[in-house]
Amino acid sequence: MPKLHPLIAAAIAGILSATTLPAGETPLFLPDPGFAPEGISASADGSLYLGSITQGRLIRVDPATQMITPFAPAGANGMVSIIGTHVSADDAYVYACSSDPGASALTGTAATALLRFDRETGEAAGRFELPEGGVFCNDIAELPDGTILAT
């Protein structure tokens, strides 16, 4: 498994050390230290969806139990490094920006794309490669009419 780039590790450490939680709140610790979370989004029921920049996979966190389960396995639908995530307003899909900044075990395996997964099953439901050789998919937003935008 590849190690985190020192700058990424330093940024994560800085964010974690600067974070203070409200009284009574407990942090959520991911059991896999190599996961390198990037991108987080919540569904209507409070489930959290996180992507991995180093492993090219998505996980789900149950809001009631905080149990972490796989959502979409490494490489599914051409995932390389997950940079951004978004749950659609209708709660039907989880979108993920898959880019290739060279930090993933899957580097070089697929083109940059906006990916769509069925929120109930985790199955691939769409793959939209960036036009004209777009090299980095990052943020995802949704317009009131349901149109999905990605930078």
Side-chain angles (χ1 to χ4, degrees):
M1 184 176 315
K3 292 188 177 189
L4 275 180
H5 185 282
L7 293 177
I8 294 172
I12 292 170
I15 291 167
L16 293 176
S17 67
T19 302
T20 56
L21 297 171
E25 296 293 323
T26 57
L28 173 68
F29 292 101
L30 300 178
D32 181 352
F35 184 78
E38 173 61 32
I40 185 169
S41 192
S43 63
D45 71 359
S47 295
L48 300 178
Y49 296 87
L50 291 88
S52 171
I53 195 168
T54 56
Q55 297 174 356
R57 66 187 181 108
L58 292 164
I59 60 172
R60 177 184 177 273
V61 180
D62 183 277
T65 65
Q66 293 193 349
M67 179 168 277
I68 298 167
T69 56
F71 179 70
N77 203 9
M79 288 190 287
V80 177
S81 282
I82 301 306
I83 308 300
T85 62
H86 173 76
V87 175
S88 60
D90 65 6
D91 232 25
Y93 299 106
V94 175
Y95 287 87
C97 270
S98 176
S99 295
D100 194 349
S104 173
L106 300 166
T107 290
T109 61
T112 298
L114 175 67
L115 310 175
R116 181 172 61 202
F117 296 89
D118 181 281
R119 196 181 76 74
E120 292 298 318
T121 66
E123 294 294 318
R127 178 179 171 78
F128 312 95
E129 292 187 9
L130 271 60
E132 300 178 24
V135 295
F136 204 80
C137 184
N138 188 39
D139 292 318
I140 306 164
E142 185 170 352
L143 297 177
D145 69 0
T147 300
I148 300 294
L149 306 173
T151 60

